[in-house]
């Protein structure tokens, strides 16, 4: 399924709007971060969450290695200032390290995310409950793609 089709499917389902809005927030904050970071560091970093509770407003970044996390922590104040100057309502930046990750793993994770067995089971159950709709069709496509892909990257839970 093409990204534009996924966007239209998500936009058409009112119950998914909070998820869509959260993804848009994270995407916009990611772009701001990547605009400031040097390209070599930017490719080792992913924005993974934004806690938008008024007291917290914390942007969470995931670094591919301890070295990348250290560099990112050194730049975190400048990053916070930069996103604030561009109108983002962020109080802090948190940096986490993805254990065992290197640049090649971050690139691979961006290209082909794998769902755990429990996540696949939950999505199958949801698929069975949904009425015929574009959301159900999109979910079926996701499940088919996950089941057809090699299982080497799948997490067992």
């Amino acid at each position: 399924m093409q990204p534009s089709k996924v966007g239209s499917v998500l936009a058409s389902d009112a119950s998914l709007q909070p998820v869509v809005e959260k993804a848009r927030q994270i995407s916009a904050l990611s772009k701001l971060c990547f605009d400031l970071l040097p390209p070599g560091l930017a490719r080792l970093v992913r924005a993974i969450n934004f806690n938008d509770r008024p007291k917290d407003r914390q942007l969470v970044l995931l670094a591919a290695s301890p070295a990348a996390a250290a560099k990112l922590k050194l730049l975190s104040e400048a990053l916070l200032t930069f996103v604030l100057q561009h109108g983002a309502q962020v109080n802090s930046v948190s940096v986490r390290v993805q254990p065992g990750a290197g640049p090649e793993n971050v690139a691979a994770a961006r290209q082909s995310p794998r769902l755990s067995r429990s996540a696949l089971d939950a999505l199958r159950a949801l698929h069975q409950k949904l009425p015929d709709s574009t959301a159900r069709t999109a979910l079926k496509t996701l499940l088919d793609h996950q089941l057809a892909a090699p299982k080497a990257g799948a997490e067992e839970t």
Side-chain angles (χ1 to χ4, degrees), residues 70-85:
K71 289 177 186 176
L72 196 56
K73 285 179 184 178
L74 289 173
L75 294 171
S76 64
E77 285 300 316
L79 189 55
L80 180 59
T81 301
F82 184 76
V83 298
L84 287 171
Q85 288 173 345

Side-chain angles (χ1 to χ4, degrees), residues 8-9 23 48 50 78 97 137 143 154:
S8 64
V9 167
I48 60 167
F50 175 62
V97 179
T137 302
L143 288 167

Side-chain angles (χ1 to χ4, degrees), residues 53-131:
R53 289 183 297 231
K55 290 185 179 181
D56 296 330
R57 296 201 185 278
Q58 182 181 60
L59 174 62
V60 181
L61 302 174
L62 184 66
S65 68
K71 289 177 186 176
L72 196 56
K73 285 179 184 178
L74 289 173
L75 294 171
S76 64
E77 285 300 316
L79 189 55
L80 180 59
T81 301
F82 184 76
V83 298
L84 287 171
Q85 288 173 345
H86 285 83
Q89 294 180 351
V90 177
N91 295 337
S92 65
V93 176
S94 170
V95 179
R96 298 186 184 159
V97 179
Q98 182 174 1
E104 65 283 348
N105 293 342
V106 171
R110 287 182 179 163
Q111 292 172 4
S112 58
R114 300 292 306 148
L115 297 174
S116 68
R117 177 170 287 145
S118 60
L120 284 170
D121 291 343
L123 288 173
R124 279 189 205 105
L126 176 62
H127 178 262
Q128 294 297 322
K129 293 177 185 176
L130 286 175

